[in-house]
Amino acid sequence: MIPNNFEYIRANSVQEALQLLSQKGDGARLLAGGHSLIPAMKLRLNAPETVIDISGIQELASIRRDGDRLHIGALVTHRTVETSDEVKSSCPVLSEAAALIGDPLVRNRGTIGGSLAHCDPAADYPALTLCLGAEIEATGPSGSRTIAADDFFVGMFETALQSGEMITRVTFPVLGKGTGAAYEKFSHPASRFAVVGVAAMVTLDGGGNCNSVRVAITGAGPSVFRATKVEQALTG
Amino acid sequence: MGHSIKVTVNGVTHEATVEPRMLLVQFLREVLLLTGTHIGCDTSQCGACTVLVDGVATKSCTMFAVQADGKEITTIEGLAANGDLHPLQKAFWEEHGLQCGFCTPGVIMSSYDFLKRNPNPTEEEIRHALEGNYCRCTGYQNIVKAVKKAAQSMS
């Protein structure tokens, strides 16, 4: 299957990508790992006039821990999250969940920023991002802003990103003592998307009571959502 | 508008002008006539089109040829050296790891990438590593045996 024709431009820095985005307007799409955009273009569900290839922007491809925060660049692949020692020790549920995304070939190229910006209702990362209370850094012409995961997922394939903005990094909490998290997924056998996926994070106090609980569900609605009644029932 | 690209495929550097929408798999098959890489589902699921891009197993139906500019690609045609089959190819032959053979190039390229990272895998790890490669004939038993045998002969 052949996509509609388009103009291809490679951006070598965030600055360059933002300039191109503002210059090209709403007819432009960013290409990161391409594993959401290219299939959609081949099916002609998406026909951008301009494709801005950001996959080579090195500044977006690193993982860094800063105290109790774990910063993951938008272009970090699922495979890197799956295998990173830093992620495994700081936020193990994230690498466990990344290992369940698609298949190894998809994980070799798909990126965390791409997955979140695409906001597929059955994707895995949105559940983790929402459950863990991550923050999404969006950068636009007037600088960067931080969007809480609770405000980021607006609807089916719809996020709080504004026109001209791109995700530059995602920040997760480092899971400390007393906090545990898990992701369970019932995968579609062909696509490996979640028929349903549930991410949960629980923090216990010294007496074994649940201080805080966050539960996020993907695959079972137009967009990822928090199971607030479950959270309330488990707290205490 | 055409883009000039320079791509090294199986050790040979090619220069070409491609439309942005040309997929890497089309470039390999239709421009370079390397038809060992197959198009199966064409929807990024079956893995028949798997090649190595800078050493990383990649579905070549889900990457534009223009993105391969400056990269090194290895296809199934690039595995045999001096007329000798690669141990993976040999093991697939000996263990009869195929029936129709359509998925085989992709399975072998994925296995190549996998064995580089995990030279001594368990059966379960092999099955997990091949989740992105569909075979509709064999039920995977002999594929897994072949990968295991290749791992042993390469170690």
Side-chain angles (χ1 to χ4, degrees):
Chain A
M1 292 177 294
I2 316 288
N4 268 353
N5 221 339
F6 57 88
E7 176 190 26
Y8 170 89
I9 311 177
R10 193 174 297 153
N12 296 309
S13 65
V14 170
Q15 179 121 7
E16 208 178 310
L18 292 173
Q19 273 165 3
L20 285 163
L21 264 182
S22 90
Q23 190 186 326
K24 300 292 176 181
D26 289 341
R29 287 286 174 277
L30 298 176
L31 175 66
H35 276 58
S36 301
L37 181 62
I38 295 177
M41 287 173 67
K42 288 170 72 179
L43 292 166
R44 304 212 177 189
L45 296 170
N46 204 332
E49 288 158 25
T50 303
V51 168
I52 303 166
D53 185 353
I54 58 168
S55 62
I57 302 180
Q58 284 308 310
E59 60 192 287
L60 298 182
S62 63
I63 295 175
R64 186 172 56 85
R65 181 173 166 172
D66 182 11
D68 61 355
R69 316 295 282 159
L70 179 69
H71 302 294
I72 300 187
L75 288 177
V76 172
T77 62
H78 310 328
R79 168 153 189 78
T80 302
V81 173
E82 176 187 350
T83 55
S84 154
D85 289 335
E86 187 61 88
V87 179
K88 280 184 196 168
S89 66
S90 301
C91 193
V93 67
L94 207 51
S95 50
E96 290 159 21
L100 301 175
I101 298 173
D103 59 53
L105 304 166
V106 169
R107 296 197 289 275
N108 279 345
R109 291 192 66 83
T111 67
I112 189 166
S115 172
L116 294 177
H118 185 59
C119 195
D120 189 293
D124 300 295
Y125 269 140
L128 275 299
T129 310
L130 187 57
C131 160
L132 297 171
E135 290 171 338
I136 291 112
E137 181 189 77
T139 304
S142 51
S144 294
R145 66 184 177 119
T146 298
I147 308 171
D150 279 297
D151 302 323
F152 184 78
F153 304 101
V154 174
M156 190 181 278
F157 300 112
E158 203 185 337
T159 68
L161 283 175
Q162 299 288 315
S163 172
E165 281 185 329
M166 63 189 279
I167 297 177
T168 38
R169 75 176 183 190
V170 189
T171 300
F172 292 89
V174 171
L175 300 187
K177 205 163 169 253
T179 298
Y183 180 60
E184 288 291 332
K185 168 184 176 182
F186 183 71
S187 297
H188 187 282
S191 71
R192 309 270 172 201
F193 271 106
V195 174
V196 63
V198 181
M201 176 170 70
V202 174
T203 303
L204 298 179
D205 65 17
N209 296 314
C210 286
N211 260 351
S212 77
V213 181
R214 285 175 73 100
V215 178
I217 298 178
T218 188
S223 181
V224 66
F225 60 92
R226 274 176 70 185
T228 44
K229 292 220 166 117
V230 174
E231 294 176 355
Q232 283 159 15
L234 290 174
T235 305
Chain B
M1 191 182 73
H3 284 255
S4 298
I5 59 168
K6 195 180 199 178
V7 189
T8 303
V9 181
N10 302 330
V12 180
T13 302
H14 300 268
E15 290 187 46
T17 302
V18 295
E19 257 192 339
R21 63 176 167 175
M22 177 178 268
L23 299 163
L24 177 59
V25 70
Q26 284 177 281
F27 176 73
L28 295 170
R29 290 177 55 84
E30 295 167 22
V31 178
L32 302 186
L33 304 178
L34 292 170
T35 52
T37 302
H38 294 164
I39 299 172
C41 68
D42 210 7
T43 53
S44 316
Q45 298 192 28
C46 80
C49 62
T50 305
V51 301
L52 305 180
V53 178
D54 285 345
V56 178
T58 299
K59 293 177 184 178
S60 61
C61 81
T62 313
M63 179 171 164
F64 295 116
V66 65
Q67 293 181 277
D69 185 26
K71 310 260 188 224
E72 289 202 16
I73 312 287
T74 308
T75 71
I76 188 73
E77 289 93 340
L79 287 195
N82 306 317
D84 292 328
L85 290 180
H86 184 275
L88 265 165
Q89 293 170 305
K90 207 156 168 256
F92 270 72
W93 182 9
E94 287 168 357
E95 292 296 329
H96 197 60
L98 64 145
Q99 283 183 34
C100 83
F102 194 85
C103 70
T104 313
V107 177
I108 289 182
M109 298 318 287
S110 280
S111 304
Y112 182 95
D113 183 14
F114 168 62
L115 290 182
K116 236 179 7 190
R117 286 183 271 110
N118 186 348
N120 189 20
T122 63
E123 180 178 331
E124 198 189 334
E125 286 168 337
I126 295 170
R127 288 181 185 276
H128 193 57
L130 293 177
E131 276 178 358
N133 294 87
Y134 295 177
C135 167
R136 300 292 79 168
C137 304
T138 68
Y140 301 98
Q141 301 297 343
N142 288 356
I143 292 177
V144 174
K145 272 192 219 163
V147 176
K148 186 103 192 155
K149 183 167 192 171
Q152 283 158 357
S153 70
M154 287 160 75
S155 61

